[in-house]
Amino acid sequence: AQSVTQLDSQVPVFEEAPVELRCNYSSSVSVYLFWYVQYPNQGLQLLLKYLSGSTLVKGINGFEAEFNKSQTSFHLRKPSVHISDTAEYFCAVSPWGYQKVTFGTGTKLQVIP
Amino acid sequence: KAGVTQTPRYLIKTRGQQVTLSCSPISGHRSVSWYQQTPGQGLQFLFEYFSETQRNKGNFPGRFSGRQFSNSRSEMNVSTLELGDSALYLCASSLDGATNTGELFFGEGSRLTVL
């Protein structure tokens, strides 16, 4: 079985400051890793994904994430946030070859003007 | 290419009633998953359908059921509604097959309020 832990339920950050949203996972098999974003009253939208290869993954809206296998982490970063980045962010894992996605509990990013 | 479409977007029901929610996946996607999202519990997996068969199931009571049609469209039904069923119900489709990566494409959700 897989599990995903997002330690921070809320992260306030000033506009134009950098941000890191943390995600740790556990799994007995190899997994694909994802970050999704949810804006108010909308569904989830894929930000980025790690399937294989380079451990630094770039996504939409200037976000990037780094896969660290030894620490089983997949932290999301952005060097300079904008008001429009205010949303809830979900980390997710999916085991190879198996259609079952496990989500973390989400981190609400609040960008302060 | 049209995205995942969920209907209705908003609905209000009273306790004891039943509700049916509909989801049309992206064309060519054969897997449809349903999630319940609430402020306290986050995203909880309900079930997943592939080729009209329920392939995975979450830990929800039997009042929650679903089905998938031959065109991959899916419906979920909740009977004997309880106040705690108030939530955003999200449908997600994916391209299942040899290249499956687990990536999900979500609809905007159906917000159910039970009074």
Side-chain angles (χ1 to χ4, degrees):
Chain A
Q2 295 74 42
S3 67
V4 179
T5 302
Q6 293 182 248
L7 289 170
D8 305 306
S9 59
Q10 295 191 57
V11 173
V13 62
F14 286 104
E15 193 173 15
E16 297 184 7
V19 69
E20 178 180 83
L21 306 183
R22 297 179 293 168
C23 172
N24 288 87
Y25 70 94
S26 68
S27 176
S28 56
V29 299
S30 296
V31 294
Y32 299 122
L33 296 155
F34 308 88
W35 276 99
Y36 288 85
V37 60
Q38 185 179 32
Y39 300 102
N41 297 315
Q42 293 187 26
L44 279 68
Q45 175 186 354
L46 182 69
L47 258 185
L48 49 78
K49 59 186 176 186
Y50 173 78
L51 304 181
S52 65
S54 173
T55 56
L56 183 62
V57 180
K58 294 189 184 298
I60 61 172
N61 301 339
F63 283 93
E64 63 181 31
E66 185 154 21
F67 170 55
N68 187 317
K69 188 174 182 179
S70 62
Q71 297 185 6
T72 60
S73 67
F74 190 54
H75 301 332
L76 181 69
R77 302 186 184 100
K78 187 170 183 178
S80 175
V81 295
H82 189 264
I83 291 289
S84 60
D85 294 323
T86 295
E88 190 160 16
Y89 293 79
F90 293 89
C91 182
V93 301
S94 177
W96 288 8
Y98 186 48
Q99 184 62 20
K100 183 171 171 59
V101 182
T102 301
F103 286 86
T105 51
T107 298
K108 290 184 179 176
L109 174 63
Q110 182 188 3
V111 180
I112 304 164
Chain B
K1 199 172 186 180
V4 177
T5 304
Q6 290 188 247
T7 56
R9 287 291 315 278
Y10 301 92
L11 65 166
I12 300 174
K13 294 285 187 179
T14 56
R15 279 181 298 174
Q17 287 187 311
Q18 74 164 21
V19 65
T20 299
L21 309 177
S22 178
C23 172
S24 293
I26 291 172
S27 177
H29 285 194
R30 297 166 64 192
S31 171
V32 174
S33 302
W34 288 89
Y35 290 83
Q36 181 195 64
Q37 186 178 23
T38 57
Q41 300 295 321
L43 273 166
Q44 292 195 288
F45 173 74
L46 280 156
F47 26 65
E48 184 240 347
Y49 286 87
F50 177 77
S51 291
E52 302 179 64
T53 300
Q54 187 181 86
R55 192 163 61 175
N56 293 298
K57 188 177 188 306
N59 194 25
F60 277 82
R63 299 186 297 109
F64 292 82
S65 63
R67 59 178 174 169
Q68 186 180 35
F69 302 95
S70 59
N71 61 359
S72 293
R73 190 177 71 86
S74 177
E75 288 181 348
M76 68 162 283
N77 183 278
V78 187
S79 62
T80 318
L81 284 166
E82 301 177 359
L83 294 178
D85 297 333
S86 294
L88 180 67
Y89 290 88
L90 292 164
C91 167
S93 74
S94 66
L95 184 62
D96 199 295
T99 57
N100 175 48
T101 64
E103 179 179 351
L104 298 174
F105 296 82
F106 283 85
E108 293 190 305
S110 293
R111 184 166 295 281
L112 170 65
T113 301
V114 182
L115 302 177

Coordinates of all heavy atoms in Angstrom, one line a residue, chain A residues 7-62:
Chain A
L7 N 2.9 17.5 5.4 CA 3.0 18.0 6.7 C 2.3 19.3 7.0 O 1.8 19.6 8.1 CB 4.4 18.0 7.2 CG 5.1 16.6 7.3 CD1 6.6 16.8 7.5 CD2 4.5 15.9 8.5
D8 N 2.3 20.2 6.0 CA 1.8 21.5 6.2 C 0.4 21.6 5.7 O 0.2 21.5 4.5 CB 2.7 22.6 5.5 CG 4.2 22.4 6.0 OD1 4.4 22.5 7.2 OD2 5.1 22.3 5.1
S9 N -0.6 21.9 6.5 CA -1.9 22.1 6.0 C -2.1 23.5 5.4 O -2.9 23.6 4.5 CB -2.9 21.8 7.1 OG -2.7 22.8 8.2
Q10 N -1.4 24.4 5.9 CA -1.5 25.8 5.4 C -0.1 26.4 5.4 O 0.7 26.3 6.3 CB -2.4 26.7 6.3 CG -3.9 26.2 6.2 CD -4.8 27.2 6.9 OE1 -4.8 28.4 6.5 NE2 -5.5 26.8 7.9
V11 N 0.1 27.2 4.3 CA 1.4 27.9 4.2 C 1.1 29.3 3.7 O 0.7 29.5 2.5 CB 2.4 27.2 3.2 CG1 3.6 28.0 2.9 CG2 2.7 25.8 3.7
P12 N 1.3 30.3 4.6 CA 1.2 31.7 4.1 C 2.6 32.2 3.7 O 3.6 31.9 4.3 CB 0.8 32.4 5.4 CG 1.3 31.5 6.5 CD 1.5 30.2 6.0
V13 N 2.6 32.9 2.6 CA 3.8 33.5 2.1 C 3.5 34.8 1.4 O 2.5 35.0 0.8 CB 4.4 32.4 1.1 CG1 3.5 32.2 -0.1 CG2 5.8 32.9 0.6
F14 N 4.5 35.7 1.5 CA 4.3 37.0 0.9 C 4.5 36.9 -0.7 O 5.3 36.1 -1.1 CB 5.2 38.1 1.5 CG 4.8 38.5 2.8 CD1 5.4 38.0 4.0 CD2 3.7 39.4 3.0 CE1 5.0 38.4 5.2 CE2 3.3 39.8 4.2 CZ 4.0 39.3 5.4
E15 N 3.8 37.7 -1.4 CA 4.0 37.8 -2.8 C 5.4 38.1 -3.2 O 6.1 38.8 -2.5 CB 3.1 38.9 -3.4 CG 2.9 38.8 -4.9 CD 1.9 39.8 -5.4 OE1 1.5 40.8 -4.6 OE2 1.4 39.7 -6.6
E16 N 5.9 37.4 -4.2 CA 7.3 37.4 -4.8 C 8.3 36.7 -3.9 O 9.5 36.7 -4.3 CB 7.7 38.9 -5.0 CG 6.8 39.6 -6.1 CD 7.3 41.0 -6.4 OE1 8.4 41.4 -5.9 OE2 6.6 41.7 -7.1
A17 N 7.9 36.1 -2.8 CA 8.8 35.3 -2.0 C 8.8 33.9 -2.5 O 7.9 33.5 -3.2 CB 8.3 35.3 -0.5
P18 N 9.9 33.1 -2.2 CA 9.9 31.7 -2.6 C 9.0 30.9 -1.7 O 8.8 31.3 -0.5 CB 11.4 31.4 -2.5 CG 11.9 32.3 -1.4 CD 11.1 33.5 -1.5
V19 N 8.7 29.7 -2.2 CA 7.9 28.8 -1.3 C 8.3 27.4 -1.6 O 8.7 27.0 -2.7 CB 6.3 29.0 -1.6 CG1 6.0 28.5 -3.0 CG2 5.5 28.3 -0.6
E20 N 8.1 26.5 -0.6 CA 8.3 25.1 -0.7 C 7.2 24.4 0.0 O 6.9 24.7 1.2 CB 9.7 24.7 -0.1 CG 9.9 23.1 -0.2 CD 11.2 22.7 0.4 OE1 11.3 22.5 1.6 OE2 12.2 22.5 -0.4
L21 N 6.5 23.5 -0.7 CA 5.5 22.7 -0.1 C 6.0 21.3 0.0 O 6.5 20.7 -1.0 CB 4.2 22.7 -1.0 CG 3.6 24.1 -1.3 CD1 2.4 24.0 -2.1 CD2 3.4 24.9 0.0
R22 N 5.9 20.7 1.2 CA 6.6 19.4 1.4 C 5.7 18.2 1.2 O 4.5 18.3 1.5 CB 7.2 19.4 2.8 CG 8.2 20.4 3.0 CD 8.8 20.4 4.5 NE 7.7 20.8 5.4 CZ 7.9 20.6 6.7 NH1 8.9 20.0 7.2 NH2 6.9 21.0 7.5
C23 N 6.3 17.2 0.6 CA 5.5 15.9 0.4 C 6.5 14.8 0.7 O 7.5 14.7 0.1 CB 5.0 15.9 -1.0 SG 4.3 14.3 -1.5
N24 N 6.0 13.8 1.5 CA 6.8 12.6 1.7 C 5.8 11.4 1.4 O 4.6 11.5 1.7 CB 7.3 12.5 3.1 CG 8.4 13.4 3.4 OD1 8.2 14.6 3.7 ND2 9.6 12.9 3.1
Y25 N 6.4 10.3 0.9 CA 5.5 9.2 0.6 C 6.1 7.9 1.1 O 7.3 7.9 1.4 CB 5.3 9.1 -0.9 CG 6.5 8.7 -1.7 CD1 6.8 7.4 -2.0 CD2 7.5 9.7 -2.1 CE1 7.9 7.0 -2.7 CE2 8.6 9.3 -2.7 CZ 8.8 8.0 -3.0 OH 10.0 7.6 -3.7
S26 N 5.3 6.9 1.2 CA 5.9 5.6 1.5 C 5.2 4.6 0.5 O 4.0 4.7 0.2 CB 5.6 5.2 2.9 OG 4.2 5.0 3.1
S27 N 6.0 3.6 0.1 CA 5.5 2.6 -0.8 C 6.5 1.5 -0.9 O 7.7 1.7 -0.8 CB 5.4 3.2 -2.2 OG 4.9 2.2 -3.2
S28 N 6.0 0.3 -1.0 CA 6.8 -0.9 -1.1 C 7.2 -1.2 -2.6 O 8.0 -2.1 -2.8 CB 6.1 -2.1 -0.5 OG 4.8 -2.3 -1.2
V29 N 6.6 -0.4 -3.5 CA 6.9 -0.6 -4.9 C 7.3 0.7 -5.5 O 7.1 1.8 -4.9 CB 5.7 -1.3 -5.7 CG1 5.4 -2.6 -5.1 CG2 4.5 -0.3 -5.6
S30 N 7.8 0.7 -6.8 CA 8.1 1.9 -7.4 C 6.8 2.7 -7.8 O 5.8 2.1 -8.1 CB 8.9 1.7 -8.7 OG 10.1 1.1 -8.4
V31 N 6.9 4.0 -7.7 CA 5.7 4.8 -7.9 C 6.0 6.0 -8.9 O 7.1 6.4 -9.1 CB 5.2 5.4 -6.6 CG1 4.7 4.3 -5.7 CG2 6.2 6.3 -5.9
Y32 N 4.9 6.4 -9.5 CA 4.9 7.7 -10.2 C 4.5 8.8 -9.2 O 3.6 8.5 -8.3 CB 4.0 7.7 -11.4 CG 4.3 6.7 -12.4 CD1 3.4 5.7 -12.8 CD2 5.6 6.7 -13.1 CE1 3.7 4.8 -13.8 CE2 5.9 5.8 -14.1 CZ 4.9 4.8 -14.4 OH 5.2 3.9 -15.4
L33 N 5.0 10.0 -9.3 CA 4.6 11.1 -8.4 C 4.0 12.3 -9.1 O 4.4 12.6 -10.2 CB 5.9 11.5 -7.6 CG 6.5 10.4 -6.8 CD1 8.0 10.7 -6.6 CD2 5.8 10.4 -5.4
F34 N 3.1 12.9 -8.4 CA 2.3 14.0 -9.1 C 2.1 15.1 -8.0 O 2.0 14.9 -6.9 CB 1.0 13.5 -9.5 CG 1.0 12.3 -10.4 CD1 0.9 11.1 -9.9 CD2 1.0 12.5 -11.8 CE1 0.9 9.9 -10.7 CE2 1.0 11.4 -12.6 CZ 1.0 10.1 -12.1
W35 N 2.0 16.3 -8.6 CA 1.4 17.5 -7.8 C 0.3 18.0 -8.6 O 0.4 18.2 -9.8 CB 2.5 18.6 -7.6 CG 3.4 18.4 -6.4 CD1 4.6 17.9 -6.4 CD2 3.0 18.7 -5.1 NE1 5.1 17.9 -5.2 CE2 4.2 18.4 -4.3 CE3 1.9 19.3 -4.4 CZ2 4.2 18.6 -2.9 CZ3 2.0 19.5 -3.1 CH2 3.1 19.1 -2.3
Y36 N -0.9 18.1 -7.9 CA -2.1 18.7 -8.5 C -2.4 20.0 -7.8 O -2.1 20.2 -6.6 CB -3.3 17.8 -8.4 CG -3.2 16.6 -9.3 CD1 -2.5 15.4 -8.9 CD2 -3.9 16.6 -10.5 CE1 -2.5 14.3 -9.7 CE2 -3.9 15.5 -11.3 CZ -3.2 14.3 -10.9 OH -3.1 13.2 -11.7
V37 N -3.1 20.9 -8.5 CA -3.5 22.2 -7.9 C -5.0 22.3 -8.0 O -5.6 21.9 -9.0 CB -2.8 23.4 -8.5 CG1 -3.1 23.5 -10.0 CG2 -3.2 24.7 -7.8
Q38 N -5.6 22.8 -7.0 CA -7.1 23.0 -7.0 C -7.4 24.5 -6.7 O -7.1 24.9 -5.5 CB -7.8 22.1 -6.0 CG -9.3 22.2 -6.1 CD -10.0 21.3 -5.2 OE1 -9.5 21.0 -4.1 NE2 -11.2 20.7 -5.6
Y39 N -7.9 25.2 -7.6 CA -8.4 26.6 -7.4 C -9.8 26.5 -6.8 O -10.5 25.5 -7.0 CB -8.3 27.4 -8.6 CG -6.9 27.5 -9.2 CD1 -6.5 26.8 -10.3 CD2 -6.0 28.4 -8.6 CE1 -5.2 26.8 -10.8 CE2 -4.7 28.4 -9.1 CZ -4.3 27.7 -10.1 OH -3.0 27.7 -10.6
P40 N -10.3 27.6 -6.1 CA -11.6 27.5 -5.5 C -12.7 27.1 -6.4 O -12.8 27.6 -7.6 CB -11.7 29.0 -5.0 CG -10.3 29.4 -4.7 CD -9.5 28.8 -5.8
N41 N -13.5 26.2 -6.0 CA -14.7 25.8 -6.7 C -14.4 25.1 -8.1 O -15.1 25.2 -9.0 CB -15.7 26.9 -6.9 CG -16.2 27.5 -5.6 OD1 -16.6 26.7 -4.8 ND2 -16.2 28.8 -5.5
Q42 N -13.2 24.5 -8.1 CA -12.8 23.8 -9.4 C -12.3 22.4 -9.0 O -12.0 22.1 -7.9 CB -11.7 24.6 -10.1 CG -12.2 26.0 -10.7 CD -11.2 26.6 -11.5 OE1 -10.3 26.0 -12.1 NE2 -11.3 27.9 -11.6
G43 N -12.1 21.6 -10.1 CA -11.5 20.3 -9.9 C -10.0 20.5 -9.8 O -9.4 21.6 -9.8
L44 N -9.3 19.3 -9.8 CA -7.9 19.3 -9.7 C -7.2 19.4 -11.0 O -7.7 18.8 -12.0 CB -7.4 18.1 -8.9 CG -7.4 18.1 -7.4 CD1 -8.8 18.1 -6.9 CD2 -6.6 16.9 -6.8
Q45 N -6.1 20.1 -11.1 CA -5.4 20.2 -12.4 C -3.9 19.8 -12.2 O -3.3 20.1 -11.2 CB -5.4 21.7 -12.8 CG -4.6 22.1 -14.0 CD -4.7 23.6 -14.3 OE1 -5.4 24.3 -13.6 NE2 -3.9 24.0 -15.2
L46 N -3.4 19.0 -13.1 CA -2.0 18.5 -12.9 C -1.0 19.7 -13.1 O -1.1 20.4 -14.0 CB -1.7 17.5 -14.0 CG -0.3 16.9 -13.9 CD1 -0.2 16.0 -12.7 CD2 0.0 16.0 -15.2
L47 N -0.1 19.8 -12.1 CA 0.9 20.8 -12.1 C 2.2 20.2 -12.8 O 2.8 20.8 -13.6 CB 1.3 21.2 -10.7 CG 0.8 22.5 -10.1 CD1 1.4 22.7 -8.7 CD2 1.1 23.7 -11.0
L48 N 2.6 19.0 -12.3 CA 3.8 18.4 -12.8 C 3.7 16.9 -12.4 O 3.0 16.5 -11.5 CB 5.0 19.0 -12.3 CG 5.2 19.4 -10.8 CD1 5.6 18.2 -10.0 CD2 6.2 20.5 -10.6
K49 N 4.6 16.1 -13.0 CA 4.7 14.7 -12.7 C 6.1 14.2 -12.8 O 6.9 14.7 -13.7 CB 3.7 13.9 -13.6 CG 4.1 14.0 -15.1 CD 3.0 13.3 -15.9 CE 3.3 13.6 -17.4 NZ 2.2 13.0 -18.3
Y50 N 6.4 13.2 -12.0 CA 7.7 12.5 -12.2 C 7.4 11.1 -12.5 O 6.8 10.3 -11.8 CB 8.5 12.5 -10.8 CG 9.8 11.7 -10.9 CD1 10.9 12.1 -11.6 CD2 9.8 10.4 -10.4 CE1 12.0 11.3 -11.7 CE2 10.9 9.6 -10.5 CZ 12.0 10.1 -11.2 OH 13.1 9.3 -11.3
L51 N 7.9 10.7 -13.7 CA 7.8 9.3 -14.1 C 9.1 8.6 -14.1 O 9.1 7.4 -13.6 CB 7.2 9.3 -15.6 CG 5.9 10.0 -15.8 CD1 5.4 9.9 -17.2 CD2 4.8 9.5 -14.8
S52 N 10.2 9.1 -14.6 CA 11.5 8.6 -14.5 C 12.5 9.6 -15.0 O 12.1 10.7 -15.4 CB 11.6 7.3 -15.4 OG 11.4 7.7 -16.8
G53 N 13.8 9.3 -15.0 CA 14.8 10.2 -15.5 C 15.2 11.2 -14.6 O 15.4 11.0 -13.4
S54 N 15.4 12.4 -15.0 CA 15.9 13.5 -14.2 C 15.0 13.7 -13.0 O 13.8 13.8 -13.1 CB 15.9 14.8 -15.0 OG 16.2 15.9 -14.2
T55 N 15.7 13.9 -11.8 CA 14.9 14.0 -10.6 C 14.3 15.4 -10.4 O 13.5 15.6 -9.5 CB 15.8 13.7 -9.4 OG1 16.9 14.5 -9.4 CG2 16.2 12.2 -9.5
L56 N 14.7 16.4 -11.2 CA 14.2 17.7 -11.1 C 13.1 17.8 -12.2 O 13.4 17.7 -13.4 CB 15.2 18.8 -11.3 CG 14.8 20.2 -11.1 CD1 14.2 20.5 -9.8 CD2 15.9 21.2 -11.4
V57 N 11.9 18.1 -11.8 CA 10.8 18.1 -12.8 C 10.2 19.6 -12.8 O 9.9 20.1 -11.8 CB 9.7 17.1 -12.4 CG1 8.6 17.2 -13.4 CG2 10.2 15.7 -12.3
K58 N 10.0 20.1 -14.0 CA 9.4 21.4 -14.2 C 8.0 21.3 -14.6 O 7.6 20.4 -15.4 CB 10.2 22.2 -15.2 CG 11.6 22.5 -14.6 CD 12.3 23.5 -15.5 CE 13.8 23.8 -15.1 NZ 13.8 24.3 -13.7
G59 N 7.1 22.1 -14.0 CA 5.7 22.1 -14.4 C 5.2 23.4 -14.9 O 6.0 24.2 -15.3
I60 N 3.9 23.5 -14.8 CA 3.3 24.8 -15.3 C 3.4 25.9 -14.3 O 3.6 25.6 -13.1 CB 1.8 24.5 -15.7 CG1 1.0 24.1 -14.5 CG2 1.7 23.5 -16.8 CD1 -0.5 24.0 -14.7
N61 N 3.2 27.1 -14.7 CA 3.1 28.3 -13.8 C 4.4 28.5 -13.0 O 4.4 29.0 -11.9 CB 2.0 28.2 -12.8 CG 0.6 28.1 -13.6 OD1 0.5 28.5 -14.7 ND2 -0.4 27.6 -12.9
G62 N 5.6 28.0 -13.5 CA 6.8 28.2 -12.9 C 7.2 27.3 -11.7 O 8.2 27.5 -11.0

